[in-house]
Amino acid sequence: MAAVDIKKGLAGVVVDYTAVSKVNPDTNSLLYRGYPVQELAAKCSFEEVAYLLWNGELPNETQLAEFTARERAGRALDPVVKSVVDTLPTTAHPMDVCRTATSVLGARHELAEDSSPEANMKKAIDLWAAMPAVVAYDQRRRRGQDAVEPREDLDYSANFLWMTFGEDPVDEVVEAFNVSMILYAEHSFNASTFTARVVTSTLSDLHSAVTAAIGALKGPLHGGANEAVMHTFDEIGIRSEESLEEAATRARAWMEDALAQKKKVMGFGHRVYKHGDSRVPTMKAALDKMIAHYGRPELLGLYNGLEQAMDEAKAIKPNLDYPAGPTYHLMGFDTQTFTPLFVASRITGWTAHIMEQVASNSLIRPLSEYNGPEERHVP
Ligand code: COA
């Protein structure tokens, strides 16, 4: 039997073209439609970036006004979605709630069976506009609180925080949240995006593809890592009275012990980036601002201690989930809500890829090499 070159995990395999984003691991760079993500995070709103991902160009003033009006008009929590969410136990993982809500929104969409470019664009904007209400309400109901109505005078990020906490959001916090939404929006053929493209390639609908993508994102090797980072911090112990240095020392000891036990520590490493994740410096800067804003240096101590010990032992660098986790914690999100925040953002990238797949489709159907028993027969 000729040896077959199996590419386990499709590592290193280029499966298609994409014009949505470019990840360059050699230069640690990430471009959305040609624009460096750091520039977008510094100069744009998440709404502008969503428009860019879907349309290929940044909006002019008129286009942005029309686009934001559509987003603001679609923010209310769908009463049917709310009633379905209410049937789920509050112990259900919020990713399961997001997945279920997406499925319900798909089944109820006026263009459910239409996958034309116009219908898909409408579905993408509708789903993107609707998801913050689902994520916010789910966190609130787990705390025994009612849903908060959206506010048309706030932008996407400020309104998301408003609907989650029911308080006027502080500008600095909105800014950090906006940065996180932009950084999480798109990352080429990662596992969940590829999942969405596989589903789309069968000529299934947009909501089915996003529902499947949410399932893929839930895993701790992918989006679930931002939640897992916080579990690590909790396991080490967050002690608000501790100095930065004391926290760093304890974190280093924890990491040395974890690595001695050959544990995988979530929030570190990446399939594509091997010398650092292009998005980390921007997200870390946002985390630093939040640490200063909330006056919590001990969290920076934990962050630094883990990062330094990992670097010294294995030279493995943090990925985006590492600074994002503690940032969301400081803002007041429940740890379980972190990956749904990633969903709310990544809906933009997923659906941009879905539309690209539809425009140039070929059924995604790889081969496998059989290694089971030789042919045999039922006695
Ligand atoms: N902690 C400890 N060791 C790690 C590690 C981590 N987070 N990430 C990679 N490694 C080690 C592996 O143990 C392996 O070591 P070995 O060669 O001695 O066995 C080596 O680095 C290669 O790791 P591997 O898992 O084969 O690389 P990959 O390209 O398949 O993995 C990830 C990429 C992301 C799956 C992996 O780095 C990981 O599991 N990270 C944690 C989850 C995470 O943060 N995911 C979010 C990604 S954005």
Side-chain angles (χ1 to χ4, degrees), residues 164-298:
T164 307
F165 302 110
E167 287 167 12
D168 272 327
V170 177
D171 288 348
E172 269 175 296
V173 179
V174 174
E175 212 174 287
F177 189 76
N178 184 64
V179 165
S180 78
M181 289 292 108
I182 291 172
L183 295 177
Y184 266 136
E186 162 56 17
H187 212 225
S188 76
F189 276 39
N190 55 83
S192 58
T193 301
F194 188 59
T195 301
R197 291 191 76 126
V198 170
V199 175
T200 304
S201 83
T202 71
L203 301 185
S204 186
D205 65 285
L206 178 143
H207 287 86
S208 295
V210 173
T211 303
I214 292 172
L217 191 74
K218 185 182 175 188
L221 294 191
H222 192 8
N226 62 7
E227 176 182 335
V229 168
M230 215 56 229
H231 294 313
T232 300
F233 276 41
D234 285 336
E235 197 182 313
I236 299 168
I238 299 172
R239 300 179 190 162
S240 53
E241 74 288 353
E242 207 170 43
S243 71
L244 189 150
E245 291 74 22
E246 287 164 338
T249 305
R250 284 194 307 110
R252 287 180 71 94
W254 184 94
M255 180 62 96
E256 282 155 17
D257 185 49
L259 294 180
Q261 293 179 47
K262 305 241 171 294
K263 277 192 190 159
K264 254 205 172 165
V265 184
M266 301 300 151
F268 289 88
H270 199 275
R271 171 58 68 78
V272 181
Y273 297 115
K274 297 298 176 195
H275 320 289
D277 181 327
S278 61
R279 304 160 294 180
V280 164
T282 311
M283 195 62 229
K284 172 64 172 27
L287 170 62
D288 286 341
K289 283 185 191 159
M290 290 301 93
I291 283 173
H293 175 76
Y294 291 102
R296 298 287 301 277
E298 87 285 2

Side-chain angles (χ1 to χ4, degrees), residues 305-316:
L306 290 176
E307 183 186 22
Q308 285 160 8
M310 178 63 108
D311 197 36
E312 282 164 23
K314 299 191 76 149
I316 296 175

